[in-house]
Every structure is written in structure tokens, then in C-alpha cells.
């Protein structure tokens, strides 16, 4: 983005009116127009609702109106997610930087943090080492760091580009000292603390390969397929995490993952058949979809 560019309120008002008409024509949620102006132009909801900004002589933006419109045209015609245009997305109490190197954190994933906190409290696991495997934007790692204030959070991702975004978020939100970042595959970079983890949380790729290309165009065209494709049945990464995790988690340590609709019973069976887990439970998201699995490593 370029230096802040002054724009008049009238210019933004005219752009907003056209953008709303475009959104209607292209079946884009109208809320996106005002959310984008809140993030890019710093306008608040009341000013937008009353159009009181219309008379303002100068509104500073980090890009020209022409540049904003170019990105908006990509939203309309290429289905570029509005979060990538703004470069940020809200998640829990955070505002996270996002780019096409990372999945846009979804609201349902916020429940993973609540489940992790409940598991930590019931199992006496509030301190020690916690892992966020496949951290992406760093959302889960930062959510854990905010709540588990006595724990060290280890965030791993195979993508250097994703880790750069995650590190930026950690620094911006004041967690740069609390979260440690590693590039690599799943547990591999964490061998030095093998057997010492209080908990592991992951939102791994879980979409079956032949389903990925049928997802919304915003996802298919712009979000990283590496973070989506879970193999033929979508469970390749989850199987690996079930197999590998008991060697890294301490006795009584907790294992938590997100999965897609229809996978819960298979995941429950995989955990049970592994023999190293107990107290296996499945939890629904706010839409009632069985979305999360929680299990504890048996005490030897």
C-alpha cells in the first residue's frame, strides 16, 4: 500500500453508493462495503449510516480511491475475499493481519480456544508447553497465549509465508515473547521438548481432495489449498496427528482438533483404536455441526 492519500467525504460517498449497487448486482453481502470503509478509511458505523462523512473535506486512506476500486472490482469479478482487500479480519478480541498466504480465520474456530481452556482447567494443564500445529495466521496460538498466561506457546507451520503473517500478528498484539514460531511439518520442529507438551491444538487441512475445487470461489481461487486439502477422505493430517501426538504430549496431556461435518465418528474411532487416548469427546459448533474432537493421553 502507498502512503496515506487524502480523499474527500463526497468522493467516498459517491464510491460507496456505486459499490453498493455493484454488490447487489454481483450478489455480494452489502455489509462488506461498509466494513471495508471502516477498515480502509477509518469511518465508524454511525457516520456511515447517517452519511455524515459526506461533508468532510479530508479523509486519509492508505491507498487512493482508484486503488481501492481496483481491489473492489477484483472482489466483484474474481471473488477476492474482502478480508484480503482490507488485509485484516476480526477474530475473538483480535484484529488479525491476513494475506493470501493464510486461511482467513473462521468464527467457528474460536470455540477451539474455549475448549482448550476448559480442558486445561479440568486437567491442571494451564502451564507448561502448548502447541498450535499448522498455525497459519497465528490465530489459535495467540488465542491460547491470551488465556493460558503461564504457558509457552509453540506455533508451527510448513509455510514460511504463513509464519511471516503469524509473527506480524504476534508482535502487533503484544505476544512476541510468549509465542515461539517454527517452520516445519507438524511436530517435527519440536523434538527437543518431546513428551513435555501439556496440550496440542490444531485446525489442520481436512477437506477431501475432490471436494476442495467445489468450495466457494472465494476459497478455491484465493485461499491456500495447502491449508485445505486433507487427502482422499480429508483425514490424512488428522490421522498423522493422532499417531504422532502421544510421543510429544505428557501423560494426561490434551489433544484438540477441528474437523469437517461427517468426520466425527471416524475420528472418534481412530482415537479409540490408537490405544493411547482416553476421555474422547466430540463437540458441536454453534450451528450444531460436530466440529471438534478432544482427547487426553492416558497416564502411564
Amino acid at each position: 500500500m502507498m502512503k496515506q492519500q487524502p480523499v474527500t467525504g463526497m468522493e467516498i460517498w459517491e464510491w460507496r453508493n456505486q459499490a453498493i449497487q455493484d454488490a447487489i448486482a454481483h450478489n455480494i453481502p452489502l455489509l462488506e462495503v461498509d466494513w471495508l470503509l471502516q477498515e480502509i478509511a477509518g469511518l465508524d458505523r454511525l457516520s456511515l449510516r447517517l452519511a455524515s462523512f459526506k461533508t468532510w473535506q479530508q479523509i486519509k486512506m492508505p491507498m487512493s480511491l482508484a486503488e481501492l476500486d481496483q481491489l473492489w472490482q477484483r472482489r466483484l469479478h474474481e471473488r477476492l475475499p474482502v478480508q484480503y482487500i482490507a488485509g485484516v479480519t476480526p477474530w475473538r478480541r483480535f484484529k488479525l493481519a491476513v494475506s493470501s498466504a493464510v486461511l482467513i480465520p473462521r468464527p467457528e474456530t474460536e470455540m477451539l480456544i474455549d475448549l482448550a481452556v476448559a480442558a486445561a482447567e479440568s486437567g491442571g494443564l494451564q502451564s507448561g508447553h502448548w502447541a498450535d500445529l499448522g498455525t497459519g495466521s497465528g490465530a489459535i496460538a495467540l488465542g491460547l497465549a491470551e488465556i493460558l498466561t503461564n504457558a509457552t506457546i509453540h506455533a508451527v507451520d510448513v509455510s514460511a509465508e504463513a509464519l511471516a503473517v503469524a509473527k506480524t500478528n504476534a508482535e502487533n498484539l503484544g505476544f512476541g515473547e510468549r509465542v515461539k514460531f517454527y517452520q516445519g511439518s507438524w511436530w517435527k520442529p519440536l523434538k527437543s521438548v518431546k513428551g513435555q507438551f501439556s496440550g496440542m491444538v490444531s485446525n489442520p487441512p481436512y477437506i477431501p481432495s475432490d471436494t476442495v475445487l467445489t468450495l466457494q470461489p472465494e476459497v478455491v481461487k484465493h485461499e491456500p489449498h495447502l491449508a485445505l486439502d486433507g487427502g482422499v477422505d480429508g483425514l490424512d493430517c488428522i490421522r498423522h496427528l493422532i499417531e504422532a501426538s502421544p510421543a510429544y504430549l505428557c501423560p494426561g496431556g490434551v489433544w484438540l482438533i477441528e474437523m469437517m461435518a461427517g468426520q466425527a465418528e471416524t475420528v472418534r474411532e481412530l482415537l479409540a483404536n490408537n490405544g493411547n487416548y482416553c476421555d474422547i469427546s466430540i463437540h458441536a459448533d454453534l450451528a450444531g455441526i460436530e466440529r471438534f474432537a478432544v482427547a487426553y493421553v492416558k497416564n502411564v
Side-chain angles (χ1 to χ4, degrees), residues 200-252:
M200 180 222 80
V201 185
S202 184
N203 180 14
Y206 53 67
I207 309 293
S209 300
D210 62 1
T211 302
V212 171
L213 294 179
T214 69
L215 299 174
Q216 293 173 303
E218 285 83 352
V219 178
V220 175
K221 292 182 178 182
H222 300 286
E223 297 200 65
H225 288 202
L226 181 67
L228 295 166
D229 192 333
V232 174
D233 63 356
L235 293 169
D236 283 1
C237 299
I238 292 175
R239 281 194 191 88
H240 173 74
L241 291 173
I242 289 172
E243 288 297 321
S245 297
Y248 288 84
L249 291 165
C250 64

Side-chain angles (χ1 to χ4, degrees), residues 20-300:
I20 288 171
Q21 294 307 311
D22 292 341
I24 293 169
H26 290 83
N27 200 28
I28 300 288
L30 297 185
L31 289 173
E32 290 192 10
V33 177
D34 282 357
W35 182 81
L36 193 56
L37 288 173
Q38 287 176 59
E39 295 298 332
I40 298 290
L43 299 175
D44 60 70
R45 290 180 184 176
L46 186 60
S47 298
L48 287 161
R49 190 179 303 129
L50 300 178
S52 57
F53 65 89
K54 184 177 175 181
T55 59
W56 298 358
Q57 291 305 302
Q58 190 177 94
I59 297 170
K60 290 183 178 178
M61 301 202 314
M63 64 179 76
S64 69
L65 206 53
E67 288 173 311
L68 175 60
D69 194 60
Q70 284 178 352
L71 289 169
W72 180 247
Q73 293 304 316
R74 291 189 62 198
R75 175 75 189 106
L76 300 173
H77 301 290
E78 300 174 30
R79 310 306 274 196
L80 178 69
V82 70
Q83 294 93 335
Y84 290 159
I85 296 177
V88 295
T89 193
W91 195 80
R92 283 182 77 84
R93 288 179 290 279
F94 305 142
K95 183 181 286 188
L96 297 175
V98 292
S99 75
S100 57
V102 299
L103 286 185
I104 298 163
R106 269 51 173 187
E108 57 265 26
T109 304
E110 296 182 18
M111 284 190 65
L112 264 179
I113 306 302
D114 300 323
L115 289 169
V117 171
E121 290 175 351
S122 66
L125 302 166
Q126 296 98 324
S127 59
H129 300 281
W130 279 73
D132 170 22
L133 303 183
T135 193
S137 66
I140 290 171
L142 299 174
L144 293 173
E146 182 189 33
I147 303 296
L148 301 175
T149 54
N150 294 318
T152 299
I153 313 300
H154 303 263
V156 179
D157 204 287
V158 74
S159 165
E161 293 81 6
L163 282 175
V165 174
K167 288 176 183 177
T168 295
N169 283 321
E171 292 296 332
N172 289 347
L173 295 167
F175 295 112
E177 298 297 316
R178 293 276 321 286
V179 183
K180 301 180 185 302
F181 294 95
Y182 310 81
Q183 185 179 0
S185 177
W186 305 117
W187 285 109
K188 283 183 181 178
L190 304 176
K191 288 181 178 177
S192 63
V193 276
K194 202 169 185 178
Q196 300 177 42
F197 281 86
S198 300
M200 180 222 80
V201 185
S202 184
N203 180 14
Y206 53 67
I207 309 293
S209 300
D210 62 1
T211 302
V212 171
L213 294 179
T214 69
L215 299 174
Q216 293 173 303
E218 285 83 352
V219 178
V220 175
K221 292 182 178 182
H222 300 286
E223 297 200 65
H225 288 202
L226 181 67
L228 295 166
D229 192 333
V232 174
D233 63 356
L235 293 169
D236 283 1
C237 299
I238 292 175
R239 281 194 191 88
H240 173 74
L241 291 173
I242 289 172
E243 288 297 321
S245 297
Y248 288 84
L249 291 165
C250 64
V254 67
W255 183 96
L256 301 96
I257 59 102
E258 181 173 325
M259 57 195 161
M260 74 178 287
Q263 293 177 337
E265 278 312 305
T266 303
V267 171
R268 188 201 299 271
E269 287 175 19
L270 288 168
L271 286 163
N273 293 340
N274 179 274
N276 288 298
Y277 298 94
C278 62
D279 298 329
I280 299 161
S281 57
I282 303 297
H283 301 265
D285 62 17
L286 294 176
I289 296 168
E290 292 185 322
R291 175 79 61 187
F292 311 102
V294 180
Y296 293 84
V297 172
K298 290 179 179 177
N299 284 298
V300 179

